Amino acid sequence: MGKILVTGGLGFIGSHTVVELQNEGFDVVIIDDLSNSSIDVLDGITSITKITPIFENFDLKDKPKVQAFFKVHQDIVGVIHFAASKAVGESVEKPLLYYENNINPLIYILQELQKLEASNFIFSSSCTVYGQADDLPITENAPIKKAESPYGNTKQIGEEIIKDTCLVSPNLNAIALRYFNPIGAHESTKIGELPIGVPQNLVPFITQTAIGIREQLSVFGDDYPTPDGTCIRDYIHVVDLAKAHVVALQRLINKTNTLNYETFNVGTGTGSSVLEVIKSFERVSGQKLNYKIANRRAGDIISAYADTTKANDELGWKAELTLDDAMSSAWKWEQQIKKNN
Ligand code: UD1
């Protein structure tokens, strides 16, 4: 089936994707520097799939190591590049760290792929590239808005770098997947999200509040122009998102792609408000959540959800799991973390 390099393969989305790749018969090599992940995730992956992926622990900013890796692993047929820093607030404080972490490795990997006879590349992009879109649901043709943060900018620049490289590299096939809001965990509760410190994202904050790590959730604003006044997002189950990577990779390997650089939205197509997410949590967990309405968070957009027609039609992919499925798995995962500590 061929060997696939997954960078950041011990992270939240990376680990779930490794599981789905192995389920489909791919051999996986992970590069991860454990900067925002744990080595225990390797055991989690192994206990789900009964296969231990090859694992290399190094920092992709080390160009000679990236070059040496591709010399040794000449049989790599595809790369899924997750490894990146992702905290929006931190990126504002430390822009150079974000530009260095998120751009340099991308360049080094593409330089190696350019040397190969044929190569396939999948990039973790984000719906953040659309900013507050003028039209909802958001299609891939929506204009790219000025980035709100260095983090968001690295996703835009990353896409541009890949597009420009593909223009001059007929041997390179690439897809950028623009994720909406990934949440949830694997149903086995062997892998899930492991936020470091205080979670910035809604769902881990909800589950940590419910389990008693956090006192109370603040709902950032209830005076937005939405039906219940809270912001709307497209929350996608991480397992559905992981499967989108597998079908995108198969499209590239089987050469059913129409252009050698393509972008796809990966979301459910349905928007949910913050209060709807809380209600879903309360429904599946059977407990009330302690929350209050607080001020708006700077930089938040009002509403974003995907038009998934392109992914449905061209990738033959569609999200299958519901918001309740995702909240239920996130809650089971939080309880599992507590049991293990
Ligand atoms: C955030 C990032 C986005 C990034 C994505 C990655 C910002 C402004 N945006 O998206 O660039 O690609 O994470 O996962 O940080 N909320 C609360 N209380 C909380 C936390 C969140 O009410 O304690 C609300 C937010 O206002 C928002 C929704 O929940 O309406 C989702 O927030 P979050 O999970 O942080 O995702 P995004 O802001 O969509």
Side-chain angles (χ1 to χ4, degrees), residues 268-312:
T268 64
T270 303
S272 305
S273 73
V274 177
L275 292 178
E276 283 171 336
V277 174
I278 293 171
K279 277 192 208 114
S280 167
F281 173 78
E282 291 183 333
R283 194 162 46 236
V284 300
S285 69
Q287 69 177 76
K288 285 267 161 243
L289 187 76
N290 182 19
Y291 71 91
K292 64 165 187 207
I293 305 298
N295 290 335
R296 292 182 177 194
R297 177 172 72 178
D300 267 341
I301 56 166
I302 304 165
S303 187
Y305 50 95
D307 183 318
T308 61
T309 310
K310 190 177 174 196
N312 299 162

mmCIF file of all heavy atoms in Angstrom, residues 268-312:
data_model
loop_
_atom_site.group_PDB
_atom_site.id
_atom_site.type_symbol
_atom_site.label_atom_id
_atom_site.label_comp_id
_atom_site.label_asym_id
_atom_site.label_seq_id
_atom_site.Cartn_x
_atom_site.Cartn_y
_atom_site.Cartn_z
ATOM 1 N N THR A 268 -18.986 19.798 8.823
ATOM 2 C CA THR A 268 -20.209 18.998 8.719
ATOM 3 C C THR A 268 -21.216 19.668 7.796
ATOM 4 O O THR A 268 -22.148 19.027 7.321
ATOM 5 C CB THR A 268 -20.899 18.857 10.096
ATOM 6 O OG1 THR A 268 -21.318 20.163 10.519
ATOM 7 C CG2 THR A 268 -19.951 18.262 11.123
ATOM 8 N N GLY A 269 -21.056 20.987 7.617
ATOM 9 C CA GLY A 269 -22.039 21.735 6.842
ATOM 10 C C GLY A 269 -23.108 22.360 7.732
ATOM 11 O O GLY A 269 -23.949 23.128 7.256
ATOM 12 N N THR A 270 -23.076 22.039 9.015
ATOM 13 C CA THR A 270 -24.082 22.569 9.939
ATOM 14 C C THR A 270 -23.420 23.455 10.985
ATOM 15 O O THR A 270 -22.411 23.063 11.573
ATOM 16 C CB THR A 270 -24.803 21.413 10.681
ATOM 17 O OG1 THR A 270 -25.375 20.561 9.696
ATOM 18 C CG2 THR A 270 -25.897 21.930 11.599
ATOM 19 N N GLY A 271 -23.995 24.614 11.220
ATOM 20 C CA GLY A 271 -23.484 25.506 12.259
ATOM 21 C C GLY A 271 -24.169 25.225 13.592
ATOM 22 O O GLY A 271 -25.366 24.921 13.628
ATOM 23 N N SER A 272 -23.409 25.316 14.678
ATOM 24 C CA SER A 272 -23.984 25.182 16.023
ATOM 25 C C SER A 272 -23.508 26.354 16.865
ATOM 26 O O SER A 272 -22.339 26.738 16.796
ATOM 27 C CB SER A 272 -23.515 23.892 16.706
ATOM 28 O OG SER A 272 -23.808 22.772 15.905
ATOM 29 N N SER A 273 -24.411 26.880 17.684
ATOM 30 C CA SER A 273 -24.039 28.005 18.556
ATOM 31 C C SER A 273 -23.361 27.468 19.816
ATOM 32 O O SER A 273 -23.456 26.264 20.126
ATOM 33 C CB SER A 273 -25.287 28.792 18.932
ATOM 34 O OG SER A 273 -26.058 28.049 19.866
ATOM 35 N N VAL A 274 -22.700 28.355 20.532
ATOM 36 C CA VAL A 274 -22.049 27.941 21.784
ATOM 37 C C VAL A 274 -23.087 27.327 22.730
ATOM 38 O O VAL A 274 -22.839 26.273 23.342
ATOM 39 C CB VAL A 274 -21.331 29.142 22.457
ATOM 40 C CG1 VAL A 274 -20.719 28.728 23.791
ATOM 41 C CG2 VAL A 274 -20.258 29.724 21.537
ATOM 42 N N LEU A 275 -24.271 27.958 22.816
ATOM 43 C CA LEU A 275 -25.296 27.413 23.723
ATOM 44 C C LEU A 275 -25.798 26.047 23.257
ATOM 45 O O LEU A 275 -26.109 25.182 24.070
ATOM 46 C CB LEU A 275 -26.469 28.407 23.869
ATOM 47 C CG LEU A 275 -26.132 29.711 24.612
ATOM 48 C CD1 LEU A 275 -27.339 30.644 24.660
ATOM 49 C CD2 LEU A 275 -25.608 29.434 26.028
ATOM 50 N N GLU A 276 -25.832 25.839 21.939
ATOM 51 C CA GLU A 276 -26.238 24.512 21.438
ATOM 52 C C GLU A 276 -25.204 23.447 21.787
ATOM 53 O O GLU A 276 -25.551 22.299 22.065
ATOM 54 C CB GLU A 276 -26.453 24.567 19.918
ATOM 55 C CG GLU A 276 -27.776 25.218 19.543
ATOM 56 C CD GLU A 276 -27.935 25.479 18.048
ATOM 57 O OE1 GLU A 276 -26.911 25.599 17.327
ATOM 58 O OE2 GLU A 276 -29.094 25.590 17.603
ATOM 59 N N VAL A 277 -23.933 23.832 21.754
ATOM 60 C CA VAL A 277 -22.875 22.874 22.127
ATOM 61 C C VAL A 277 -23.019 22.517 23.613
ATOM 62 O O VAL A 277 -22.923 21.344 23.997
ATOM 63 C CB VAL A 277 -21.474 23.463 21.836
ATOM 64 C CG1 VAL A 277 -20.381 22.548 22.359
ATOM 65 C CG2 VAL A 277 -21.300 23.689 20.334
ATOM 66 N N ILE A 278 -23.287 23.528 24.436
ATOM 67 C CA ILE A 278 -23.474 23.275 25.876
ATOM 68 C C ILE A 278 -24.680 22.346 26.088
ATOM 69 O O ILE A 278 -24.601 21.382 26.852
ATOM 70 C CB ILE A 278 -23.668 24.608 26.643
ATOM 71 C CG1 ILE A 278 -22.368 25.426 26.596
ATOM 72 C CG2 ILE A 278 -24.103 24.356 28.087
ATOM 73 C CD1 ILE A 278 -22.498 26.846 27.138
ATOM 74 N N LYS A 279 -25.774 22.630 25.367
ATOM 75 C CA LYS A 279 -26.978 21.780 25.507
ATOM 76 C C LYS A 279 -26.679 20.343 25.092
ATOM 77 O O LYS A 279 -27.130 19.392 25.722
ATOM 78 C CB LYS A 279 -28.123 22.330 24.647
ATOM 79 C CG LYS A 279 -28.881 23.432 25.346
ATOM 80 C CD LYS A 279 -30.184 23.768 24.627
ATOM 81 C CE LYS A 279 -30.556 25.219 24.882
ATOM 82 N NZ LYS A 279 -30.505 26.070 23.683
ATOM 83 N N SER A 280 -25.907 20.197 24.016
ATOM 84 C CA SER A 280 -25.546 18.852 23.567
ATOM 85 C C SER A 280 -24.744 18.144 24.651
ATOM 86 O O SER A 280 -24.991 16.972 24.972
ATOM 87 C CB SER A 280 -24.733 18.936 22.264
ATOM 88 O OG SER A 280 -24.131 17.701 21.979
ATOM 89 N N PHE A 281 -23.787 18.883 25.249
ATOM 90 C CA PHE A 281 -22.993 18.281 26.326
ATOM 91 C C PHE A 281 -23.901 17.829 27.471
ATOM 92 O O PHE A 281 -23.770 16.716 27.993
ATOM 93 C CB PHE A 281 -21.940 19.263 26.863
ATOM 94 C CG PHE A 281 -21.253 18.707 28.068
ATOM 95 C CD1 PHE A 281 -20.260 17.755 27.936
ATOM 96 C CD2 PHE A 281 -21.665 19.064 29.347
ATOM 97 C CE1 PHE A 281 -19.669 17.173 29.048
ATOM 98 C CE2 PHE A 281 -21.093 18.496 30.470
ATOM 99 C CZ PHE A 281 -20.082 17.553 30.313
ATOM 100 N N GLU A 282 -24.830 18.695 27.861
ATOM 101 C CA GLU A 282 -25.700 18.373 29.006
ATOM 102 C C GLU A 282 -26.578 17.157 28.687
ATOM 103 O O GLU A 282 -26.810 16.305 29.538
ATOM 104 C CB GLU A 282 -26.560 19.597 29.369
ATOM 105 C CG GLU A 282 -25.707 20.730 29.961
ATOM 106 C CD GLU A 282 -26.510 21.947 30.397
ATOM 107 O OE1 GLU A 282 -27.606 22.185 29.826
ATOM 108 O OE2 GLU A 282 -26.040 22.680 31.293
ATOM 109 N N ARG A 283 -27.006 17.075 27.430
ATOM 110 C CA ARG A 283 -27.853 15.947 26.994
ATOM 111 C C ARG A 283 -27.091 14.632 27.092
ATOM 112 O O ARG A 283 -27.569 13.666 27.657
ATOM 113 C CB ARG A 283 -28.283 16.221 25.545
ATOM 114 C CG ARG A 283 -29.393 15.383 25.032
ATOM 115 C CD ARG A 283 -30.047 15.982 23.793
ATOM 116 N NE ARG A 283 -29.121 16.472 22.777
ATOM 117 C CZ ARG A 283 -29.103 17.708 22.297
ATOM 118 N NH1 ARG A 283 -29.977 18.589 22.727
ATOM 119 N NH2 ARG A 283 -28.228 18.064 21.373
ATOM 120 N N VAL A 284 -25.871 14.593 26.547
ATOM 121 C CA VAL A 284 -25.164 13.304 26.484
ATOM 122 C C VAL A 284 -24.524 12.930 27.819
ATOM 123 O O VAL A 284 -24.315 11.749 28.094
ATOM 124 C CB VAL A 284 -24.104 13.269 25.353
ATOM 125 C CG1 VAL A 284 -24.751 13.491 24.006
ATOM 126 C CG2 VAL A 284 -22.975 14.262 25.600
ATOM 127 N N SER A 285 -24.228 13.932 28.654
ATOM 128 C CA SER A 285 -23.558 13.617 29.921
ATOM 129 C C SER A 285 -24.554 13.474 31.063
ATOM 130 O O SER A 285 -24.222 12.946 32.125
ATOM 131 C CB SER A 285 -22.560 14.722 30.286
ATOM 132 O OG SER A 285 -23.256 15.908 30.630
ATOM 133 N N GLY A 286 -25.773 13.978 30.831
ATOM 134 C CA GLY A 286 -26.776 13.923 31.889
ATOM 135 C C GLY A 286 -26.453 14.837 33.056
ATOM 136 O O GLY A 286 -26.951 14.634 34.157
ATOM 137 N N GLN A 287 -25.589 15.815 32.842
ATOM 138 C CA GLN A 287 -25.327 16.753 33.936
ATOM 139 C C GLN A 287 -25.353 18.198 33.475
ATOM 140 O O GLN A 287 -25.111 18.490 32.313
ATOM 141 C CB GLN A 287 -24.016 16.415 34.641
ATOM 142 C CG GLN A 287 -22.767 16.667 33.832
ATOM 143 C CD GLN A 287 -21.522 16.363 34.671
ATOM 144 O OE1 GLN A 287 -21.161 15.210 34.887
ATOM 145 N NE2 GLN A 287 -20.873 17.418 35.154
ATOM 146 N N LYS A 288 -25.655 19.073 34.417
ATOM 147 C CA LYS A 288 -25.705 20.512 34.116
ATOM 148 C C LYS A 288 -24.292 21.077 34.094
ATOM 149 O O LYS A 288 -23.452 20.675 34.897
ATOM 150 C CB LYS A 288 -26.515 21.246 35.205
ATOM 151 C CG LYS A 288 -28.004 21.028 35.081
ATOM 152 C CD LYS A 288 -28.642 22.149 34.241
ATOM 153 C CE LYS A 288 -29.991 21.756 33.699
ATOM 154 N NZ LYS A 288 -30.081 21.703 32.239
ATOM 155 N N LEU A 289 -24.062 21.989 33.198
ATOM 156 C CA LEU A 289 -22.745 22.626 33.125
ATOM 157 C C LEU A 289 -22.791 23.979 33.822
ATOM 158 O O LEU A 289 -23.747 24.742 33.630
ATOM 159 C CB LEU A 289 -22.341 22.806 31.653
ATOM 160 C CG LEU A 289 -20.914 23.317 31.462
ATOM 161 C CD1 LEU A 289 -19.902 22.217 31.706
ATOM 162 C CD2 LEU A 289 -20.732 23.914 30.075
ATOM 163 N N ASN A 290 -21.769 24.273 34.606
ATOM 164 C CA ASN A 290 -21.675 25.585 35.260
ATOM 165 C C ASN A 290 -21.084 26.585 34.266
ATOM 166 O O ASN A 290 -19.902 26.510 33.942
ATOM 167 C CB ASN A 290 -20.793 25.475 36.505
ATOM 168 C CG ASN A 290 -20.696 26.796 37.252
ATOM 169 O OD1 ASN A 290 -21.537 27.693 37.061
ATOM 170 N ND2 ASN A 290 -19.687 26.936 38.085
ATOM 171 N N TYR A 291 -21.933 27.485 33.768
ATOM 172 C CA TYR A 291 -21.423 28.495 32.835
ATOM 173 C C TYR A 291 -22.066 29.841 33.083
ATOM 174 O O TYR A 291 -23.121 29.933 33.712
ATOM 175 C CB TYR A 291 -21.638 28.056 31.376
ATOM 176 C CG TYR A 291 -23.072 28.074 30.903
ATOM 177 C CD1 TYR A 291 -23.618 29.213 30.300
ATOM 178 C CD2 TYR A 291 -23.874 26.951 31.040
ATOM 179 C CE1 TYR A 291 -24.940 29.226 29.858
ATOM 180 C CE2 TYR A 291 -25.189 26.964 30.605
ATOM 181 C CZ TYR A 291 -25.720 28.100 30.017
ATOM 182 O OH TYR A 291 -27.024 28.117 29.592
ATOM 183 N N LYS A 292 -21.384 30.879 32.618
ATOM 184 C CA LYS A 292 -21.944 32.232 32.717
ATOM 185 C C LYS A 292 -21.713 32.950 31.388
ATOM 186 O O LYS A 292 -20.822 32.559 30.614
ATOM 187 C CB LYS A 292 -21.257 33.009 33.847
ATOM 188 C CG LYS A 292 -19.776 33.235 33.592
ATOM 189 C CD LYS A 292 -19.157 34.291 34.498
ATOM 190 C CE LYS A 292 -17.734 34.556 34.023
ATOM 191 N NZ LYS A 292 -16.784 35.002 34.939
ATOM 192 N N ILE A 293 -22.502 33.965 31.158
ATOM 193 C CA ILE A 293 -22.292 34.778 29.966
ATOM 194 C C ILE A 293 -21.234 35.829 30.302
ATOM 195 O O ILE A 293 -21.323 36.497 31.331
ATOM 196 C CB ILE A 293 -23.607 35.478 29.527
ATOM 197 C CG1 ILE A 293 -24.738 34.447 29.336
ATOM 198 C CG2 ILE A 293 -23.372 36.317 28.271
ATOM 199 C CD1 ILE A 293 -24.505 33.399 28.270
ATOM 200 N N ALA A 294 -20.210 35.922 29.458
ATOM 201 C CA ALA A 294 -19.118 36.871 29.702
ATOM 202 C C ALA A 294 -18.985 37.799 28.493
ATOM 203 O O ALA A 294 -19.765 37.707 27.535
ATOM 204 C CB ALA A 294 -17.826 36.108 29.954
ATOM 205 N N ASN A 295 -17.981 38.678 28.550
ATOM 206 C CA ASN A 295 -17.741 39.579 27.426
ATOM 207 C C ASN A 295 -17.323 38.810 26.180
ATOM 208 O O ASN A 295 -16.816 37.697 26.267
ATOM 209 C CB ASN A 295 -16.616 40.563 27.773
ATOM 210 C CG ASN A 295 -17.081 41.562 28.818
ATOM 211 O OD1 ASN A 295 -18.288 41.832 28.933
ATOM 212 N ND2 ASN A 295 -16.139 42.092 29.581
ATOM 213 N N ARG A 296 -17.472 39.465 25.061
ATOM 214 C CA ARG A 296 -16.965 38.900 23.806
ATOM 215 C C ARG A 296 -15.451 38.705 23.892
ATOM 216 O O ARG A 296 -14.782 39.458 24.603
ATOM 217 C CB ARG A 296 -17.260 39.844 22.646
ATOM 218 C CG ARG A 296 -18.740 39.962 22.316
ATOM 219 C CD ARG A 296 -18.916 40.891 21.125
ATOM 220 N NE ARG A 296 -20.309 40.980 20.713
ATOM 221 C CZ ARG A 296 -20.696 41.511 19.544
ATOM 222 N NH1 ARG A 296 -19.796 42.004 18.703
ATOM 223 N NH2 ARG A 296 -21.971 41.536 19.225
ATOM 224 N N ARG A 297 -14.918 37.722 23.169
ATOM 225 C CA ARG A 297 -13.473 37.518 23.077
ATOM 226 C C ARG A 297 -12.973 38.258 21.840
ATOM 227 O O ARG A 297 -13.534 38.091 20.751
ATOM 228 C CB ARG A 297 -13.171 36.017 22.973
ATOM 229 C CG ARG A 297 -11.704 35.690 22.808
ATOM 230 C CD ARG A 297 -11.445 34.199 22.909
ATOM 231 N NE ARG A 297 -11.929 33.448 21.745
ATOM 232 C CZ ARG A 297 -11.782 32.140 21.577
ATOM 233 N NH1 ARG A 297 -11.174 31.409 22.508
ATOM 234 N NH2 ARG A 297 -12.250 31.550 20.495
ATOM 235 N N ALA A 298 -11.907 39.045 22.021
ATOM 236 C CA ALA A 298 -11.374 39.810 20.885
ATOM 237 C C ALA A 298 -11.000 38.862 19.747
ATOM 238 O O ALA A 298 -10.428 37.793 19.975
ATOM 239 C CB ALA A 298 -10.148 40.597 21.324
ATOM 240 N N GLY A 299 -11.339 39.258 18.545
ATOM 241 C CA GLY A 299 -10.925 38.474 17.375
ATOM 242 C C GLY A 299 -11.898 37.387 16.954
ATOM 243 O O GLY A 299 -11.711 36.763 15.915
ATOM 244 N N ASP A 300 -12.926 37.101 17.780
ATOM 245 C CA ASP A 300 -13.881 36.052 17.400
ATOM 246 C C ASP A 300 -14.742 36.496 16.229
ATOM 247 O O ASP A 300 -15.224 37.630 16.195
ATOM 248 C CB ASP A 300 -14.804 35.709 18.581
ATOM 249 C CG ASP A 300 -14.285 34.546 19.403
ATOM 250 O OD1 ASP A 300 -13.440 33.785 18.894
ATOM 251 O OD2 ASP A 300 -14.730 34.403 20.555
ATOM 252 N N ILE A 301 -14.960 35.599 15.311
ATOM 253 C CA ILE A 301 -15.892 35.888 14.234
ATOM 254 C C ILE A 301 -17.287 35.453 14.673
ATOM 255 O O ILE A 301 -17.426 34.670 15.605
ATOM 256 C CB ILE A 301 -15.480 35.215 12.919
ATOM 257 C CG1 ILE A 301 -15.342 33.715 13.119
ATOM 258 C CG2 ILE A 301 -14.197 35.807 12.372
ATOM 259 C CD1 ILE A 301 -15.282 32.973 11.826
ATOM 260 N N ILE A 302 -18.314 35.977 14.006
ATOM 261 C CA ILE A 302 -19.688 35.708 14.452
ATOM 262 C C ILE A 302 -20.109 34.289 14.075
ATOM 263 O O ILE A 302 -20.578 33.521 14.901
ATOM 264 C CB ILE A 302 -20.669 36.726 13.801
ATOM 265 C CG1 ILE A 302 -20.230 38.158 14.133
ATOM 266 C CG2 ILE A 302 -22.095 36.466 14.259
ATOM 267 C CD1 ILE A 302 -20.891 39.226 13.248
ATOM 268 N N SER A 303 -19.907 33.969 12.812
ATOM 269 C CA SER A 303 -20.477 32.708 12.335
ATOM 270 C C SER A 303 -19.631 32.121 11.202
ATOM 271 O O SER A 303 -19.213 32.858 10.304
ATOM 272 C CB SER A 303 -21.900 32.982 11.845
ATOM 273 O OG SER A 303 -22.542 31.786 11.519
ATOM 274 N N ALA A 304 -19.360 30.829 11.287
ATOM 275 C CA ALA A 304 -18.646 30.150 10.199
ATOM 276 C C ALA A 304 -19.093 28.699 10.118
ATOM 277 O O ALA A 304 -19.056 27.978 11.130
ATOM 278 C CB ALA A 304 -17.138 30.209 10.444
ATOM 279 N N TYR A 305 -19.588 28.298 8.974
ATOM 280 C CA TYR A 305 -19.820 26.869 8.726
ATOM 281 C C TYR A 305 -19.628 26.578 7.249
ATOM 282 O O TYR A 305 -19.746 27.456 6.400
ATOM 283 C CB TYR A 305 -21.177 26.390 9.252
ATOM 284 C CG TYR A 305 -22.370 27.216 8.861
ATOM 285 C CD1 TYR A 305 -23.143 26.856 7.746
ATOM 286 C CD2 TYR A 305 -22.741 28.338 9.596
ATOM 287 C CE1 TYR A 305 -24.242 27.614 7.380
ATOM 288 C CE2 TYR A 305 -23.835 29.104 9.223
ATOM 289 C CZ TYR A 305 -24.584 28.734 8.120
ATOM 290 O OH TYR A 305 -25.668 29.484 7.748
ATOM 291 N N ALA A 306 -19.290 25.318 6.991
ATOM 292 C CA ALA A 306 -18.785 24.942 5.676
ATOM 293 C C ALA A 306 -19.889 24.598 4.687
ATOM 294 O O ALA A 306 -20.899 23.996 5.053
ATOM 295 C CB ALA A 306 -17.869 23.729 5.822
ATOM 296 N N ASP A 307 -19.649 24.957 3.439
ATOM 297 C CA ASP A 307 -20.350 24.304 2.334
ATOM 298 C C ASP A 307 -19.453 23.114 1.981
ATOM 299 O O ASP A 307 -18.290 23.299 1.608
ATOM 300 C CB ASP A 307 -20.462 25.253 1.136
ATOM 301 C CG ASP A 307 -21.257 24.629 0.004
ATOM 302 O OD1 ASP A 307 -21.045 23.426 -0.277
ATOM 303 O OD2 ASP A 307 -22.074 25.321 -0.623
ATOM 304 N N THR A 308 -19.955 21.909 2.140
ATOM 305 C CA THR A 308 -19.104 20.726 1.955
ATOM 306 C C THR A 308 -19.349 20.041 0.613
ATOM 307 O O THR A 308 -18.917 18.905 0.404
ATOM 308 C CB THR A 308 -19.333 19.709 3.089
ATOM 309 O OG1 THR A 308 -20.703 19.302 3.055
ATOM 310 C CG2 THR A 308 -19.023 20.311 4.451
ATOM 311 N N THR A 309 -20.024 20.738 -0.284
ATOM 312 C CA THR A 309 -20.374 20.120 -1.575
ATOM 313 C C THR A 309 -19.139 19.588 -2.308
ATOM 314 O O THR A 309 -19.161 18.486 -2.864
ATOM 315 C CB THR A 309 -21.087 21.156 -2.485
ATOM 316 O OG1 THR A 309 -22.124 21.770 -1.736
ATOM 317 C CG2 THR A 309 -21.651 20.504 -3.724
ATOM 318 N N LYS A 310 -18.056 20.383 -2.294
ATOM 319 C CA LYS A 310 -16.870 19.966 -3.055
ATOM 320 C C LYS A 310 -16.277 18.671 -2.478
ATOM 321 O O LYS A 310 -15.961 17.742 -3.225
ATOM 322 C CB LYS A 310 -15.835 21.098 -3.060
ATOM 323 C CG LYS A 310 -14.680 20.855 -4.013
ATOM 324 C CD LYS A 310 -13.703 22.024 -4.042
ATOM 325 C CE LYS A 310 -12.475 21.701 -4.884
ATOM 326 N NZ LYS A 310 -11.365 22.634 -4.630
ATOM 327 N N ALA A 311 -16.152 18.625 -1.156
ATOM 328 C CA ALA A 311 -15.623 17.405 -0.530
ATOM 329 C C ALA A 311 -16.573 16.230 -0.749
ATOM 330 O O ALA A 311 -16.133 15.101 -1.017
ATOM 331 C CB ALA A 311 -15.385 17.629 0.962
ATOM 332 N N ASN A 312 -17.877 16.487 -0.652
ATOM 333 C CA ASN A 312 -18.863 15.419 -0.885
ATOM 334 C C ASN A 312 -18.729 14.865 -2.300
ATOM 335 O O ASN A 312 -18.632 13.653 -2.496
ATOM 336 C CB ASN A 312 -20.306 15.922 -0.722
ATOM 337 C CG ASN A 312 -20.627 16.459 0.666
ATOM 338 O OD1 ASN A 312 -21.599 17.168 0.856
ATOM 339 N ND2 ASN A 312 -19.796 16.139 1.639
#
